[in-house]
Amino acid sequence: MSGLGTTSGPVLACGEVRTCLLPTSDAVDERAAEQLLRLRTDERVRLSRHPNRYAVSPALLTGVDCWMPSVTGTRSRAVGTVTARAAIVEGRVLQSSVYFSAPACGPDRRQSWGRYLVRPGCLIPVGRLPVRSVAEGFLAGPRQNELDIGPIAESLTARISRHRILDLSPPLTTADTSLRWTATPAAGGKETSVLFTKADDGLRTVELRLPHATTPATAAGLCEDLALHDWLLTTVAYKLDGLQADYEDSKPLKVLCSLVDHLLHLWMPLSRVDRTLHTAWEELDENSGYSRQWNALAQRIRDQLVLRAVRSRSELLTSN
């Protein structure tokens, strides 16, 4: 597929990522992950074992014919398909991702469906596309009768989460997160930039400026990685903030052990992000201090476990 800003390619890519803990007591193995992600019979689930276990489903296409989001109220119609896929990280975290790309202009009249199906994952505007207005409108959230891809991601998450092989007893109570993103070609000499914000309702939004050769799928991969690590950081921080200091209570110890067993080893930024986009994470990390915060949280967990072990040993020696 052509990159952003190329002569025949899109000038805008948009997507949404839902991230949650897979609702089962233990991490699923490779075979179970394949079963959960077998969304189509004509294409296999892709598996990777290094640097961690990762499984991603075949792509699903959904046809749409709708008005595009717009902050200015400009009415622009687009027709085509959006791409959806799901992934399971280390048998523990589930992500559902939906995205599409769009060129700056299309034919003045609606074409037959066959014309749109030859460009999977692309929405072709009828006439010109007000790119800036659509990008800002997408991040702000759709209004009535405008394109909304969030329910597609939500439906995919629900479909996998309700699979019969899951016991629906996760080791931790966690909140799901949503990350909505847009990507446009970078202007001038600047190759990449990223603007990451969190709304009051917990929605994450990411505005990307990427190299012209970046494909929509590559941009989606970067945003899936951002969503995963934001979810990890948010989940661990929330669990530690609510932790009681009562050493007599076994519940805090259970939470700490669950964080170690199920989440701490998942922190591997950029492990599956195209090298040309690494600077986007580095810029975000420098501005937000994500890695520094994660390291501090991980050390706090280890310190808590050591303190509890020392106290337990001390009480045992005293009782003897």
mmCIF file of all heavy atoms in Angstrom, residues 170-214:
data_model
loop_
_atom_site.group_PDB
_atom_site.id
_atom_site.type_symbol
_atom_site.label_atom_id
_atom_site.label_comp_id
_atom_site.label_asym_id
_atom_site.label_seq_id
_atom_site.Cartn_x
_atom_site.Cartn_y
_atom_site.Cartn_z
ATOM 1 N N PRO A 170 -10.243 -13.073 35.501
ATOM 2 C CA PRO A 170 -8.921 -12.452 35.417
ATOM 3 C C PRO A 170 -8.299 -12.292 36.800
ATOM 4 O O PRO A 170 -9.016 -12.131 37.794
ATOM 5 C CB PRO A 170 -9.204 -11.088 34.771
ATOM 6 C CG PRO A 170 -10.631 -10.811 35.104
ATOM 7 C CD PRO A 170 -11.322 -12.139 35.114
ATOM 8 N N PRO A 171 -6.967 -12.320 36.891
ATOM 9 C CA PRO A 171 -6.294 -12.207 38.186
ATOM 10 C C PRO A 171 -6.336 -10.801 38.759
ATOM 11 O O PRO A 171 -6.062 -10.611 39.948
ATOM 12 C CB PRO A 171 -4.855 -12.623 37.858
ATOM 13 C CG PRO A 171 -4.683 -12.262 36.424
ATOM 14 C CD PRO A 171 -6.017 -12.534 35.782
ATOM 15 N N LEU A 172 -6.645 -9.816 37.942
ATOM 16 C CA LEU A 172 -6.703 -8.426 38.378
ATOM 17 C C LEU A 172 -7.950 -7.757 37.800
ATOM 18 O O LEU A 172 -8.374 -8.086 36.690
ATOM 19 C CB LEU A 172 -5.476 -7.646 37.889
ATOM 20 C CG LEU A 172 -4.120 -7.989 38.500
ATOM 21 C CD1 LEU A 172 -3.009 -7.442 37.605
ATOM 22 C CD2 LEU A 172 -4.005 -7.412 39.899
ATOM 23 N N THR A 173 -8.507 -6.829 38.553
ATOM 24 C CA THR A 173 -9.585 -6.003 38.026
ATOM 25 C C THR A 173 -8.954 -4.774 37.386
ATOM 26 O O THR A 173 -8.276 -3.992 38.048
ATOM 27 C CB THR A 173 -10.543 -5.565 39.139
ATOM 28 O OG1 THR A 173 -11.081 -6.730 39.782
ATOM 29 C CG2 THR A 173 -11.682 -4.736 38.580
ATOM 30 N N THR A 174 -9.152 -4.614 36.106
ATOM 31 C CA THR A 174 -8.527 -3.507 35.381
ATOM 32 C C THR A 174 -9.560 -2.807 34.514
ATOM 33 O O THR A 174 -10.618 -3.361 34.213
ATOM 34 C CB THR A 174 -7.385 -4.007 34.482
ATOM 35 O OG1 THR A 174 -7.922 -4.889 33.485
ATOM 36 C CG2 THR A 174 -6.330 -4.747 35.295
ATOM 37 N N ALA A 175 -9.224 -1.589 34.113
ATOM 38 C CA ALA A 175 -10.091 -0.821 33.221
ATOM 39 C C ALA A 175 -9.563 -0.919 31.793
ATOM 40 O O ALA A 175 -8.356 -0.988 31.565
ATOM 41 C CB ALA A 175 -10.140 0.637 33.668
ATOM 42 N N ASP A 176 -10.486 -0.933 30.841
ATOM 43 C CA ASP A 176 -10.094 -0.891 29.433
ATOM 44 C C ASP A 176 -9.717 0.546 29.063
ATOM 45 O O ASP A 176 -10.183 1.503 29.684
ATOM 46 C CB ASP A 176 -11.250 -1.344 28.537
ATOM 47 C CG ASP A 176 -11.713 -2.756 28.868
ATOM 48 O OD1 ASP A 176 -11.091 -3.409 29.730
ATOM 49 O OD2 ASP A 176 -12.711 -3.194 28.268
ATOM 50 N N THR A 177 -8.885 0.699 28.054
ATOM 51 C CA THR A 177 -8.553 2.032 27.564
ATOM 52 C C THR A 177 -8.820 2.123 26.063
ATOM 53 O O THR A 177 -8.800 1.114 25.349
ATOM 54 C CB THR A 177 -7.079 2.394 27.822
ATOM 55 O OG1 THR A 177 -6.223 1.447 27.174
ATOM 56 C CG2 THR A 177 -6.774 2.419 29.312
ATOM 57 N N SER A 178 -9.063 3.339 25.600
ATOM 58 C CA SER A 178 -9.258 3.610 24.183
ATOM 59 C C SER A 178 -8.266 4.677 23.742
ATOM 60 O O SER A 178 -8.080 5.686 24.436
ATOM 61 C CB SER A 178 -10.680 4.112 23.909
ATOM 62 O OG SER A 178 -11.638 3.131 24.243
ATOM 63 N N LEU A 179 -7.636 4.431 22.600
ATOM 64 C CA LEU A 179 -6.711 5.410 22.030
ATOM 65 C C LEU A 179 -7.147 5.694 20.603
ATOM 66 O O LEU A 179 -7.264 4.781 19.790
ATOM 67 C CB LEU A 179 -5.278 4.881 22.070
ATOM 68 C CG LEU A 179 -4.181 5.815 21.562
ATOM 69 C CD1 LEU A 179 -2.887 5.624 22.372
ATOM 70 C CD2 LEU A 179 -3.887 5.586 20.074
ATOM 71 N N ARG A 180 -7.411 6.954 20.320
ATOM 72 C CA ARG A 180 -7.851 7.379 18.993
ATOM 73 C C ARG A 180 -6.720 8.172 18.349
ATOM 74 O O ARG A 180 -6.131 9.047 18.997
ATOM 75 C CB ARG A 180 -9.114 8.235 19.122
ATOM 76 C CG ARG A 180 -9.824 8.532 17.822
ATOM 77 C CD ARG A 180 -11.075 9.366 18.105
ATOM 78 N NE ARG A 180 -12.041 8.618 18.899
ATOM 79 C CZ ARG A 180 -12.923 9.177 19.726
ATOM 80 N NH1 ARG A 180 -12.934 10.479 19.901
ATOM 81 N NH2 ARG A 180 -13.785 8.430 20.396
ATOM 82 N N TRP A 181 -6.402 7.888 17.086
ATOM 83 C CA TRP A 181 -5.228 8.510 16.476
ATOM 84 C C TRP A 181 -5.468 8.962 15.047
ATOM 85 O O TRP A 181 -6.335 8.436 14.345
ATOM 86 C CB TRP A 181 -4.040 7.558 16.513
ATOM 87 C CG TRP A 181 -4.223 6.259 15.749
ATOM 88 C CD1 TRP A 181 -4.731 5.081 16.244
ATOM 89 C CD2 TRP A 181 -3.898 6.009 14.372
ATOM 90 N NE1 TRP A 181 -4.742 4.122 15.266
ATOM 91 C CE2 TRP A 181 -4.237 4.650 14.107
ATOM 92 C CE3 TRP A 181 -3.358 6.778 13.341
ATOM 93 C CZ2 TRP A 181 -4.053 4.070 12.840
ATOM 94 C CZ3 TRP A 181 -3.176 6.201 12.089
ATOM 95 C CH2 TRP A 181 -3.515 4.863 11.859
ATOM 96 N N THR A 182 -4.681 9.946 14.638
ATOM 97 C CA THR A 182 -4.638 10.384 13.247
ATOM 98 C C THR A 182 -3.181 10.517 12.830
ATOM 99 O O THR A 182 -2.307 10.796 13.655
ATOM 100 C CB THR A 182 -5.340 11.738 13.031
ATOM 101 O OG1 THR A 182 -4.658 12.753 13.792
ATOM 102 C CG2 THR A 182 -6.790 11.672 13.455
ATOM 103 N N ALA A 183 -2.915 10.327 11.551
ATOM 104 C CA ALA A 183 -1.561 10.483 11.015
ATOM 105 C C ALA A 183 -1.637 11.206 9.678
ATOM 106 O O ALA A 183 -2.446 10.845 8.814
ATOM 107 C CB ALA A 183 -0.891 9.125 10.845
ATOM 108 N N THR A 184 -0.801 12.214 9.521
ATOM 109 C CA THR A 184 -0.683 12.944 8.265
ATOM 110 C C THR A 184 0.792 13.074 7.919
ATOM 111 O O THR A 184 1.659 12.904 8.787
ATOM 112 C CB THR A 184 -1.325 14.346 8.373
ATOM 113 O OG1 THR A 184 -0.769 15.023 9.513
ATOM 114 C CG2 THR A 184 -2.832 14.249 8.527
ATOM 115 N N PRO A 185 1.123 13.355 6.672
ATOM 116 C CA PRO A 185 2.532 13.473 6.287
ATOM 117 C C PRO A 185 3.217 14.633 6.997
ATOM 118 O O PRO A 185 2.636 15.714 7.156
ATOM 119 C CB PRO A 185 2.473 13.714 4.775
ATOM 120 C CG PRO A 185 1.121 13.234 4.357
ATOM 121 C CD PRO A 185 0.222 13.487 5.512
ATOM 122 N N ALA A 186 4.445 14.414 7.431
ATOM 123 C CA ALA A 186 5.225 15.473 8.067
ATOM 124 C C ALA A 186 5.615 16.520 7.029
ATOM 125 O O ALA A 186 5.902 16.199 5.884
ATOM 126 C CB ALA A 186 6.467 14.879 8.728
ATOM 127 N N ALA A 187 5.608 17.769 7.456
ATOM 128 C CA ALA A 187 5.968 18.864 6.549
ATOM 129 C C ALA A 187 7.418 19.279 6.757
ATOM 130 O O ALA A 187 7.963 19.147 7.858
ATOM 131 C CB ALA A 187 5.043 20.060 6.788
ATOM 132 N N GLY A 188 8.041 19.762 5.718
ATOM 133 C CA GLY A 188 9.397 20.281 5.834
ATOM 134 C C GLY A 188 10.397 19.207 6.196
ATOM 135 O O GLY A 188 10.272 18.049 5.839
ATOM 136 N N GLY A 189 11.402 19.587 6.971
ATOM 137 C CA GLY A 189 12.477 18.656 7.306
ATOM 138 C C GLY A 189 12.183 17.780 8.510
ATOM 139 O O GLY A 189 12.943 16.860 8.790
ATOM 140 N N LYS A 190 11.106 18.054 9.231
ATOM 141 C CA LYS A 190 10.824 17.266 10.433
ATOM 142 C C LYS A 190 10.215 15.932 10.036
ATOM 143 O O LYS A 190 9.180 15.897 9.367
ATOM 144 C CB LYS A 190 9.877 18.032 11.351
ATOM 145 C CG LYS A 190 9.730 17.393 12.726
ATOM 146 C CD LYS A 190 8.948 18.290 13.639
ATOM 147 C CE LYS A 190 8.781 17.679 15.028
ATOM 148 N NZ LYS A 190 10.043 17.431 15.701
ATOM 149 N N GLU A 191 10.835 14.836 10.456
ATOM 150 C CA GLU A 191 10.386 13.520 9.991
ATOM 151 C C GLU A 191 9.205 12.984 10.782
ATOM 152 O O GLU A 191 8.276 12.452 10.225
ATOM 153 C CB GLU A 191 11.558 12.535 10.049
ATOM 154 C CG GLU A 191 12.650 12.863 9.047
ATOM 155 C CD GLU A 191 13.378 11.634 8.599
ATOM 156 O OE1 GLU A 191 13.119 10.563 9.156
ATOM 157 O OE2 GLU A 191 14.206 11.751 7.704
ATOM 158 N N THR A 192 9.248 13.110 12.092
ATOM 159 C CA THR A 192 8.142 12.599 12.898
ATOM 160 C C THR A 192 7.849 13.556 14.040
ATOM 161 O O THR A 192 8.738 14.253 14.539
ATOM 162 C CB THR A 192 8.454 11.215 13.505
ATOM 163 O OG1 THR A 192 9.584 11.323 14.385
ATOM 164 C CG2 THR A 192 8.749 10.192 12.431
ATOM 165 N N SER A 193 6.598 13.579 14.454
ATOM 166 C CA SER A 193 6.208 14.286 15.673
ATOM 167 C C SER A 193 4.967 13.609 16.216
ATOM 168 O O SER A 193 4.205 12.983 15.470
ATOM 169 C CB SER A 193 5.945 15.776 15.403
ATOM 170 O OG SER A 193 4.795 15.946 14.605
ATOM 171 N N VAL A 194 4.779 13.720 17.521
ATOM 172 C CA VAL A 194 3.636 13.077 18.155
ATOM 173 C C VAL A 194 3.084 13.987 19.241
ATOM 174 O O VAL A 194 3.835 14.552 20.041
ATOM 175 C CB VAL A 194 4.024 11.699 18.752
ATOM 176 C CG1 VAL A 194 5.214 11.822 19.694
ATOM 177 C CG2 VAL A 194 2.846 11.049 19.457
ATOM 178 N N LEU A 195 1.768 14.154 19.234
ATOM 179 C CA LEU A 195 1.077 14.910 20.275
ATOM 180 C C LEU A 195 0.105 13.965 20.959
ATOM 181 O O LEU A 195 -0.865 13.511 20.362
ATOM 182 C CB LEU A 195 0.331 16.103 19.669
ATOM 183 C CG LEU A 195 -0.483 16.957 20.650
ATOM 184 C CD1 LEU A 195 0.436 17.587 21.695
ATOM 185 C CD2 LEU A 195 -1.260 18.042 19.906
ATOM 186 N N PHE A 196 0.390 13.657 22.222
ATOM 187 C CA PHE A 196 -0.382 12.672 22.983
ATOM 188 C C PHE A 196 -1.135 13.403 24.086
ATOM 189 O O PHE A 196 -0.540 14.154 24.858
ATOM 190 C CB PHE A 196 0.578 11.645 23.594
ATOM 191 C CG PHE A 196 -0.097 10.503 24.302
ATOM 192 C CD1 PHE A 196 -0.259 9.277 23.681
ATOM 193 C CD2 PHE A 196 -0.564 10.642 25.604
ATOM 194 C CE1 PHE A 196 -0.862 8.214 24.333
ATOM 195 C CE2 PHE A 196 -1.171 9.589 26.271
ATOM 196 C CZ PHE A 196 -1.318 8.368 25.625
ATOM 197 N N THR A 197 -2.449 13.198 24.155
ATOM 198 C CA THR A 197 -3.257 13.841 25.195
ATOM 199 C C THR A 197 -4.212 12.830 25.814
ATOM 200 O O THR A 197 -4.560 11.825 25.200
ATOM 201 C CB THR A 197 -4.070 15.018 24.631
ATOM 202 O OG1 THR A 197 -4.934 14.534 23.599
ATOM 203 C CG2 THR A 197 -3.155 16.091 24.063
ATOM 204 N N LYS A 198 -4.630 13.139 27.036
ATOM 205 C CA LYS A 198 -5.638 12.338 27.725
ATOM 206 C C LYS A 198 -6.809 13.243 28.081
ATOM 207 O O LYS A 198 -6.627 14.271 28.728
ATOM 208 C CB LYS A 198 -5.065 11.703 29.001
ATOM 209 C CG LYS A 198 -4.034 10.628 28.758
ATOM 210 C CD LYS A 198 -3.611 9.968 30.063
ATOM 211 C CE LYS A 198 -2.550 8.902 29.830
ATOM 212 N NZ LYS A 198 -2.155 8.217 31.083
ATOM 213 N N ALA A 199 -7.984 12.856 27.659
ATOM 214 C CA ALA A 199 -9.184 13.621 27.954
ATOM 215 C C ALA A 199 -9.679 13.287 29.358
ATOM 216 O O ALA A 199 -9.231 12.319 29.992
ATOM 217 C CB ALA A 199 -10.264 13.328 26.920
ATOM 218 N N ASP A 200 -10.626 14.091 29.848
ATOM 219 C CA ASP A 200 -11.162 13.875 31.190
ATOM 220 C C ASP A 200 -11.852 12.525 31.340
ATOM 221 O O ASP A 200 -11.879 11.944 32.417
ATOM 222 C CB ASP A 200 -12.159 15.001 31.541
ATOM 223 C CG ASP A 200 -11.480 16.348 31.698
ATOM 224 O OD1 ASP A 200 -10.259 16.366 31.963
ATOM 225 O OD2 ASP A 200 -12.169 17.376 31.554
ATOM 226 N N ASP A 201 -12.413 12.007 30.233
ATOM 227 C CA ASP A 201 -13.107 10.723 30.289
ATOM 228 C C ASP A 201 -12.158 9.537 30.117
ATOM 229 O O ASP A 201 -12.596 8.391 30.041
ATOM 230 C CB ASP A 201 -14.217 10.659 29.236
ATOM 231 C CG ASP A 201 -13.674 10.844 27.821
ATOM 232 O OD1 ASP A 201 -12.454 11.011 27.659
ATOM 233 O OD2 ASP A 201 -14.484 10.812 26.878
ATOM 234 N N GLY A 202 -10.850 9.813 30.055
ATOM 235 C CA GLY A 202 -9.878 8.730 29.951
ATOM 236 C C GLY A 202 -9.480 8.382 28.531
ATOM 237 O O GLY A 202 -8.580 7.572 28.315
ATOM 238 N N LEU A 203 -10.148 8.974 27.533
ATOM 239 C CA LEU A 203 -9.790 8.704 26.149
ATOM 240 C C LEU A 203 -8.418 9.276 25.842
ATOM 241 O O LEU A 203 -8.109 10.414 26.191
ATOM 242 C CB LEU A 203 -10.832 9.318 25.213
ATOM 243 C CG LEU A 203 -10.503 9.261 23.718
ATOM 244 C CD1 LEU A 203 -10.595 7.826 23.204
ATOM 245 C CD2 LEU A 203 -11.432 10.181 22.930
ATOM 246 N N ARG A 204 -7.577 8.481 25.178
ATOM 247 C CA ARG A 204 -6.283 8.952 24.723
ATOM 248 C C ARG A 204 -6.408 9.373 23.259
ATOM 249 O O ARG A 204 -7.051 8.681 22.463
ATOM 250 C CB ARG A 204 -5.222 7.858 24.826
ATOM 251 C CG ARG A 204 -4.711 7.614 26.226
ATOM 252 C CD ARG A 204 -5.620 6.727 26.996
ATOM 253 N NE ARG A 204 -5.001 6.315 28.259
ATOM 254 C CZ ARG A 204 -5.662 6.177 29.383
ATOM 255 N NH1 ARG A 204 -6.963 6.406 29.436
ATOM 256 N NH2 ARG A 204 -5.034 5.787 30.478
ATOM 257 N N THR A 205 -5.776 10.462 22.893
ATOM 258 C CA THR A 205 -5.731 10.861 21.496
ATOM 259 C C THR A 205 -4.279 11.095 21.102
ATOM 260 O O THR A 205 -3.487 11.610 21.885
ATOM 261 C CB THR A 205 -6.549 12.135 21.225
ATOM 262 O OG1 THR A 205 -6.040 13.218 22.006
ATOM 263 C CG2 THR A 205 -8.012 11.915 21.550
ATOM 264 N N VAL A 206 -3.940 10.693 19.887
ATOM 265 C CA VAL A 206 -2.578 10.834 19.371
ATOM 266 C C VAL A 206 -2.656 11.465 17.992
ATOM 267 O O VAL A 206 -3.343 10.960 17.098
ATOM 268 C CB VAL A 206 -1.864 9.468 19.285
ATOM 269 C CG1 VAL A 206 -0.478 9.637 18.673
ATOM 270 C CG2 VAL A 206 -1.758 8.828 20.661
ATOM 271 N N GLU A 207 -1.942 12.572 17.832
ATOM 272 C CA GLU A 207 -1.853 13.253 16.536
ATOM 273 C C GLU A 207 -0.430 13.096 16.030
ATOM 274 O O GLU A 207 0.522 13.587 16.649
ATOM 275 C CB GLU A 207 -2.216 14.729 16.707
ATOM 276 C CG GLU A 207 -2.309 15.480 15.408
ATOM 277 C CD GLU A 207 -2.741 16.924 15.622
ATOM 278 O OE1 GLU A 207 -3.084 17.273 16.772
ATOM 279 O OE2 GLU A 207 -2.732 17.688 14.636
ATOM 280 N N LEU A 208 -0.273 12.395 14.907
ATOM 281 C CA LEU A 208 1.047 12.059 14.379
ATOM 282 C C LEU A 208 1.342 12.813 13.093
ATOM 283 O O LEU A 208 0.470 13.004 12.261
ATOM 284 C CB LEU A 208 1.136 10.557 14.095
ATOM 285 C CG LEU A 208 1.026 9.608 15.292
ATOM 286 C CD1 LEU A 208 0.762 8.196 14.788
ATOM 287 C CD2 LEU A 208 2.283 9.652 16.143
ATOM 288 N N ARG A 209 2.600 13.211 12.955
ATOM 289 C CA ARG A 209 3.151 13.665 11.682
ATOM 290 C C ARG A 209 4.261 12.675 11.344
ATOM 291 O O ARG A 209 5.248 12.570 12.068
ATOM 292 C CB ARG A 209 3.731 15.076 11.797
ATOM 293 C CG ARG A 209 2.707 16.127 12.182
ATOM 294 C CD ARG A 209 1.804 16.494 11.009
ATOM 295 N NE ARG A 209 0.942 17.610 11.360
ATOM 296 C CZ ARG A 209 -0.240 17.514 11.926
ATOM 297 N NH1 ARG A 209 -0.701 16.299 12.224
ATOM 298 N NH2 ARG A 209 -0.961 18.570 12.201
ATOM 299 N N LEU A 210 4.114 11.955 10.233
ATOM 300 C CA LEU A 210 5.008 10.843 9.923
ATOM 301 C C LEU A 210 5.649 11.011 8.551
ATOM 302 O O LEU A 210 5.143 11.751 7.702
ATOM 303 C CB LEU A 210 4.225 9.526 9.978
ATOM 304 C CG LEU A 210 3.557 9.186 11.312
ATOM 305 C CD1 LEU A 210 2.774 7.888 11.187
ATOM 306 C CD2 LEU A 210 4.588 9.087 12.433
ATOM 307 N N PRO A 211 6.770 10.309 8.316
ATOM 308 C CA PRO A 211 7.410 10.366 7.005
ATOM 309 C C PRO A 211 6.438 9.991 5.890
ATOM 310 O O PRO A 211 5.543 9.163 6.084
ATOM 311 C CB PRO A 211 8.543 9.336 7.125
ATOM 312 C CG PRO A 211 8.837 9.269 8.573
ATOM 313 C CD PRO A 211 7.528 9.477 9.274
ATOM 314 N N HIS A 212 6.615 10.568 4.721
ATOM 315 C CA HIS A 212 5.691 10.362 3.607
ATOM 316 C C HIS A 212 5.566 8.896 3.197
ATOM 317 O O HIS A 212 4.526 8.473 2.702
ATOM 318 C CB HIS A 212 6.126 11.198 2.399
ATOM 319 C CG HIS A 212 5.862 12.660 2.579
ATOM 320 N ND1 HIS A 212 5.350 13.441 1.579
ATOM 321 C CD2 HIS A 212 6.011 13.488 3.650
ATOM 322 C CE1 HIS A 212 5.202 14.686 2.020
ATOM 323 N NE2 HIS A 212 5.611 14.740 3.268
ATOM 324 N N ALA A 213 6.621 8.123 3.386
ATOM 325 C CA ALA A 213 6.594 6.721 2.950
ATOM 326 C C ALA A 213 5.892 5.793 3.947
ATOM 327 O O ALA A 213 5.737 4.604 3.685
ATOM 328 C CB ALA A 213 8.022 6.226 2.726
ATOM 329 N N THR A 214 5.454 6.320 5.097
ATOM 330 C CA THR A 214 4.811 5.493 6.117
ATOM 331 C C THR A 214 3.463 4.972 5.627
ATOM 332 O O THR A 214 2.607 5.743 5.183
ATOM 333 C CB THR A 214 4.589 6.295 7.411
ATOM 334 O OG1 THR A 214 5.829 6.842 7.841
ATOM 335 C CG2 THR A 214 4.019 5.400 8.508
#
